[in-house]
Amino acid sequence: MTKPGSGKNAAVGDTVVVNYVGKLANDKVFDTNQADLAKKYKKFNAQRPYEPLRLHLGVDGVITGWTEAFQLLNKGSKATLVIPSNLAYGERQAGEIPPYSPLIFDVEVIDIIPGKAPAAAPTTIPATKLTPATPVKK
């Protein structure tokens, strides 16, 4: 935590509005949602909208490390997240992120918009239609 925020922490189902910079362990920046930093690190893409990221926790498909980490933060907080590779991309390469790479993110939570947690998947096995047994002739 580099700057504490205030209020309740984000929870699964909430939308977290964040600014971020993603780096590899060697400090090489691979992504950011901030235009000035994207230009500085030669990652700027004129086709991309540079604005705070809106992340629906537990619903949007992001790395597990983000889903876990943002539940520890509240509005206004700033933090440096060190995500081990098993909570990021693991053995897979993702763009310029090599396999088994821990990721480092400098994040700032701009807002938390309360929401509802996604419904859990049913845990019961649906009933199957059974065919009646054929009586055995004697």
Side-chain angles (χ1 to χ4, degrees):
M1 182 75 64
T2 55
K3 177 187 170 219
S6 61
K8 294 174 74 171
N9 286 7
V12 169
D14 291 345
T15 296
V16 182
V17 183
V18 300
N19 281 324
Y20 69 92
V21 177
K23 301 181 267 188
L24 299 174
N26 64 4
D27 275 340
K28 181 180 178 188
V29 172
F30 61 84
D31 192 21
T32 181
N33 68 327
Q34 299 167 73
D36 57 334
L37 294 176
K39 288 175 184 173
K40 177 181 177 181
Y41 294 108
K42 298 180 176 33
K43 299 295 174 187
F44 187 76
N45 176 350
Q47 306 295 320
R48 176 182 177 176
Y50 286 92
E51 57 192 28
L53 176 69
R54 297 173 70 87
L55 170 64
H56 192 178
L57 277 184
V59 176
D60 290 340
V62 296
I63 60 173
T64 304
W66 267 32
T67 302
E68 290 183 10
F70 281 112
Q71 293 178 72
L72 302 173
L73 302 176
N74 52 15
K75 183 176 178 176
S77 60
K78 291 184 179 184
T80 298
L81 312 177
V82 180
I83 310 288
S85 68
N86 65 317
L87 296 178
Y89 296 102
E91 63 188 28
R92 299 170 300 164
Q93 175 144 350
E96 59 187 279
I97 301 170
Y100 302 106
S101 293
L103 304 179
I104 301 164
F105 292 95
D106 291 320
V107 300
E108 174 185 16
V109 179
I110 296 167
D111 199 7
I112 298 172
I113 302 163
K116 286 197 283 188
T123 56
T124 56
I125 299 171
T128 57
K129 187 175 181 180
L130 299 175
T131 9
T134 308
V136 178
K137 294 185 181 182
K138 292 187 184 181

